[in-house]
Amino acid sequence: MSFIPDTTTLIQFAIATVILAITPGPDMTLFVSRTLSHGRATGFASMAGALCGTLIHTTLVVVGVSALIVASPMAFFVLKLFGAGYLVFLAWQAITKGSALSPEKKSGPEISLFRSWAAGLGVNLLNPKIILFFMTFLPQFVSAHDPNAPGKLFFLGAMFVVLSIPVTAPMVFAAEKFSAAMKTSPRVTRVVDYLFAGVFSAFALKILTAQAK
């Protein structure tokens, strides 16, 4: 099927997705906090909302990137170079500042599953770093001269969601233990940070060296 990237690309994308999924951020903090405060159902509802937001981001990015490819392959190449630089910046931040997970266990009135879903969607859609990340991350896996680029971008976006579920779901199931482990085991967090930095630096190097040939 023409919309499915080659095996090498799929493996590289899968590795990056898993590492990104286990890296603490606003979404993960929300999942864990809601689970600790109101139970697993609300945690999963928040997770579902964030994943829906990811699909929306992917759609917007695919539409924009596809239009850019048609209008100017050179402009798309510039976007990929910018993306490489942004990935290096993210890698540097991961090493120098590290990840943060600060879930709060608050007691309060029950929150409906819909409100929890909406909260997850809002956190995802209103985070400018996420749209910037997807705008620069997804294009690294397609070529401006590939006529099937839009389909491949959609496929990778859906793959990102599918692969994120088995990574984040266990964190909701074991929210209390996971939260405690991340707070009391800084070495684990630092290993994740260095994995994140290494993978995205490699992708940045890949695009820069490929275009230099």
Side-chain angles (χ1 to χ4, degrees), residues 19 22-23 94 99 185-198:
I19 292 176
I22 64 177
T23 302
S99 303
S185 303
R187 288 185 179 180
V188 174
T189 304
R190 290 307 289 163
V191 168
V192 173
D193 290 335
Y194 277 98
L195 281 173
F196 182 95

Side-chain angles (χ1 to χ4, degrees), residues 74-115:
M74 179 54 68
F76 179 68
F77 166 63
V78 173
L79 173 65
K80 294 189 76 169
L81 289 181
F82 173 76
Y86 183 61
L87 294 180
V88 171
F89 170 72
L90 290 179
W92 174 251
Q93 277 203 321
I95 293 175
T96 57
K97 296 184 178 181
S99 303
L101 181 73
S102 304
E104 300 178 4
K105 187 175 183 179
K106 296 180 179 179
S107 59
E110 289 296 318
I111 299 177
S112 69
L113 295 182
F114 176 76
R115 284 186 60 188

Side-chain angles (χ1 to χ4, degrees), residues 8-172:
T8 300
T9 298
L10 291 177
I11 293 174
Q12 293 175 342
F13 186 81
I15 293 173
T17 297
V18 171
I19 292 176
L20 179 63
I22 64 177
T23 302
D27 288 2
M28 186 186 296
T29 299
L30 177 65
F31 308 157
V32 176
S33 295
R34 285 297 169 91
T35 302
L36 293 175
S37 302
H38 302 285
R40 290 175 181 171
T42 56
F44 279 117
S46 298
M47 186 180 81
L51 293 177
C52 287
T54 297
L55 288 176
I56 294 174
H57 280 306
T58 300
T59 301
L60 294 175
V61 168
V62 170
V63 171
V65 169
S66 299
L68 189 61
I69 291 175
V70 173
S72 173
M74 179 54 68
F76 179 68
F77 166 63
V78 173
L79 173 65
K80 294 189 76 169
L81 289 181
F82 173 76
Y86 183 61
L87 294 180
V88 171
F89 170 72
L90 290 179
W92 174 251
Q93 277 203 321
I95 293 175
T96 57
K97 296 184 178 181
S99 303
L101 181 73
S102 304
E104 300 178 4
K105 187 175 183 179
K106 296 180 179 179
S107 59
E110 289 296 318
I111 299 177
S112 69
L113 295 182
F114 176 76
R115 284 186 60 188
S116 294
W117 176 87
L121 181 68
V123 166
N124 190 278
L125 290 181
L126 297 178
N127 189 341
K129 290 184 178 180
I130 293 179
I131 184 64
L132 182 58
F133 175 79
F134 271 87
M135 193 69 185
T136 57
F137 176 61
L138 283 179
Q140 308 303 320
F141 297 90
V142 298
S143 168
H145 304 289
D146 188 345
N148 301 307
K152 289 181 178 180
L153 287 170
F154 268 119
F155 182 88
L156 291 173
M159 180 178 170
F160 183 94
V161 172
V162 171
L163 290 178
S164 296
I165 293 175
V167 176
T168 55
M171 298 176 186
V172 175

